[in-house]
Amino acid sequence: MKIGLPLEIMIGEGRIALTPCDCKQLVDAGNTVYLQQDAGKNSAYPDSLYKDYGVEIVANAQQLYEQAQLIVKVKQPLAQDIQYLRQHHVLFSYLHLAADIELIESLRAIGLCAIPFESVVGEDGGLPLLAPMSQVAGRIAMIRGASLLFRNRGGRGVLLGGVDGSDRGQVVVLGAGIAGSHAVAVAASLGACIDVLDIDEEKLQQLKTQHPSIRTHRSTPETVAELCTEADLVIGAVLLAGRRAPVVLPKSVVRQMHAGSVIVDIAIDQGGCVEGIHATSIEQLCYSEYGVIHSAVPNMPAAVARTSSQSLSSAILPYVHELATIMDSDTELSVTAREEGALQNQSYRQTSLRQAMAICHGEVVDTILRQELQREPSMV
């Protein structure tokens, strides 16, 4: 199988989907791996290291897309990428399609197959390819939020952990999933006063067991309003797999927050869980509205590109192996192949990949995504 690793071109992006040593495993298994020149540079992986492991370096994106069949990248394709995508390609990447109708239409028009990392489900029912970046994003969100509270950044001038004779900073984390739990871990290590909200009582209990000092609450509009209006820092970490993020922090509450308080919305990839929030970037981290600092960077883990690349690569490698096997054997990645009867003899990874497919030869086949698109009948 011919596998292509393009250079990521989103603003501030520096991750690479597969590290050199993981590429070596694919090459040793008989695959050909192509790397666009300098695609690993911002993760401190030079072309020479990939070349040492048998990867073929190509000069530009056009050459890479012409050579490869399986495109493995980190972030969703932008216009410069889309011009090179063709019907024979299988795209394996973070896509966040529920929040990007225009991208769905572009991929449908090409007629390719697209499998979002974030839709792949593991044997335990978790999301093994989303989890690594959720961990990173949760930690970065808390670190970034803490720094935005500094007075020279426009914040309230609050040190989250406080010191002798001072109050501790008040942190509210909306969501007790992977991103939220990692945000809590950082906040707890800083010594902040932490409230966590979720609708899943089991997740809240698990988090309380890990961090006994935190306060946990079942999420209701009333509780969100009561806690967030008094918070120094709010982390939005709400996820509904495959769907747009629900809005849990309305503008009416944001308006009542302290001047100089901070909101960091990790859910911005899926549309954001804060009403009216818009994406920021690594170059322009935040903006102020109603006197409250808002930060919502879609590719937050790119700030620690090497760490993120290593974690992502190790997670996706087994699935890239499986995809290469399926494609190399001429097994059809089709809608009919997703039927339960056709999946009985597949490995769990192969089954998971087929069931995670969002677009198959130009047709939207993911059930949840189709439901999300009901407001756009022409798309379905």
Side-chain angles (χ1 to χ4, degrees):
M1 178 50 51
K2 296 179 178 180
I3 302 168
L5 305 176
L7 174 70
E8 300 291 333
I9 57 175
M10 180 176 284
I11 293 174
E13 188 56 70
R15 289 172 288 178
I16 182 70
L18 290 165
T19 62
C21 60
D22 287 340
C23 285
K24 182 179 186 301
Q25 294 191 43
L26 293 167
V27 172
D28 289 346
N31 302 290
T32 302
V33 180
Y34 298 95
L35 177 81
Q36 186 177 342
Q37 185 177 331
D38 290 335
K41 181 179 179 180
N42 288 329
S43 292
Y45 291 118
D47 291 347
S48 58
L49 188 53
Y50 281 95
K51 193 171 182 179
D52 289 343
Y53 285 134
V55 174
E56 297 189 23
I57 311 299
V58 297
N60 53 52
Q62 181 176 353
Q63 291 180 21
L64 181 126
Y65 283 94
E66 286 176 351
Q67 294 286 344
Q69 298 160 275
L70 173 57
I71 306 298
V72 183
K73 64 192 309 294
V74 180
K75 292 300 290 181
Q76 65 268 30
L78 303 183
Q80 300 97 309
D81 302 302
I82 289 171
Q83 66 178 320
Y84 299 124
L85 285 167
R86 298 292 182 265
Q87 186 175 6
H88 69 275
H89 284 135
V90 173
L91 176 63
F92 193 37
S93 171
Y94 290 119
L95 294 173
H96 304 292
L97 294 170
D100 196 341
I101 303 299
E102 185 177 345
L103 178 58
I104 295 173
E105 179 58 31
S106 295
L107 299 180
R108 285 185 67 224
I110 293 167
L112 50 63
C113 294
I115 304 174
F117 288 164
E118 66 272 16
S119 296
V120 174
V121 178
E123 283 186 294
D124 62 355
L127 302 172
L129 307 191
L130 183 61
M133 296 305 97
S134 295
Q135 294 172 6
V136 175
R139 291 178 177 271
I140 290 177
M142 188 57 65
I143 294 168
R144 182 165 291 161
S147 70
L148 289 173
L149 280 169
F150 294 171
R151 190 69 189 142
N152 66 315
R153 304 293 296 277
R156 296 192 75 200
V158 172
L159 184 65
L160 283 185
V163 291
D164 292 344
S166 75
D167 295 328
R168 292 186 296 157
Q170 301 289 324
V171 172
V172 174
V173 179
L174 303 173
I178 292 176
S181 63
H182 279 259
V184 167
V186 174
S189 69
L190 292 173
C193 184
I194 308 162
D195 290 283
V196 186
L197 293 81
D198 203 294
I199 59 173
D200 189 325
E201 298 283 358
E202 185 177 349
K203 286 182 179 178
L204 290 172
Q205 185 56 52
Q206 290 173 351
L207 204 52
K208 178 72 172 177
T209 300
Q210 295 169 7
H211 305 284
S213 66
I214 70 174
R215 297 187 295 257
T216 60
H217 314 264
R218 180 170 177 79
S219 184
T220 66
E222 295 76 18
T223 308
V224 169
E226 178 185 350
L227 295 174
C228 290
T229 52
E230 295 302 318
D232 297 303
L233 171 59
V234 176
I235 303 294
V238 179
L239 171 70
L240 291 179
R243 298 185 185 275
R244 285 188 64 93
V247 172
V248 297
L249 182 56
K251 285 185 178 181
S252 59
V253 176
V254 176
R255 288 191 186 100
Q256 299 176 58
M257 292 176 63
H258 298 297
S261 59
V262 175
I263 297 170
V264 181
D265 193 347
I266 301 172
I268 191 63
D269 271 323
Q270 293 292 94
C273 64
V274 179
E275 184 181 7
I277 198 166
H278 62 76
T280 58
S281 68
I282 288 176
E283 281 74 15
Q284 188 172 349
L285 286 178
C286 60
Y287 63 93
S288 181
E289 189 172 27
Y290 312 119
V292 177
I293 297 171
H294 294 60
S295 183
V297 179
N299 56 336
M300 196 177 294
V304 287
R306 186 173 174 88
T307 296
S308 297
S309 296
Q310 290 170 347
S311 184
L312 177 62
S313 182
S314 63
I316 70 171
L317 178 62
Y319 292 90
V320 177
H321 271 297
E322 293 286 4
L323 262 179
T325 299
I326 294 170
M327 294 172 66
D328 206 36
S329 65
D330 292 327
T331 303
E332 178 62 33
L333 279 170
S334 66
V335 177
T336 55
R338 300 173 79 235
E339 299 298 331
E340 187 173 347
L343 300 176
Q344 291 177 349
N345 296 322
Q346 300 292 319
S347 71
Y348 85 86
R349 288 195 184 101
Q350 289 187 2
T351 300
S352 183
L353 285 165
R354 294 183 190 279
Q355 293 178 331
M357 192 181 304
I359 298 173
C360 184
H361 301 311
E363 180 185 356
V364 176
V365 294
D366 179 82
T367 302
I368 293 176
L369 189 58
R370 288 174 67 86
Q371 292 172 358
E372 288 291 294
L373 294 174
Q374 289 305 312
R375 286 170 289 183
E376 302 282 346
S378 63
M379 296 292 297
V380 184

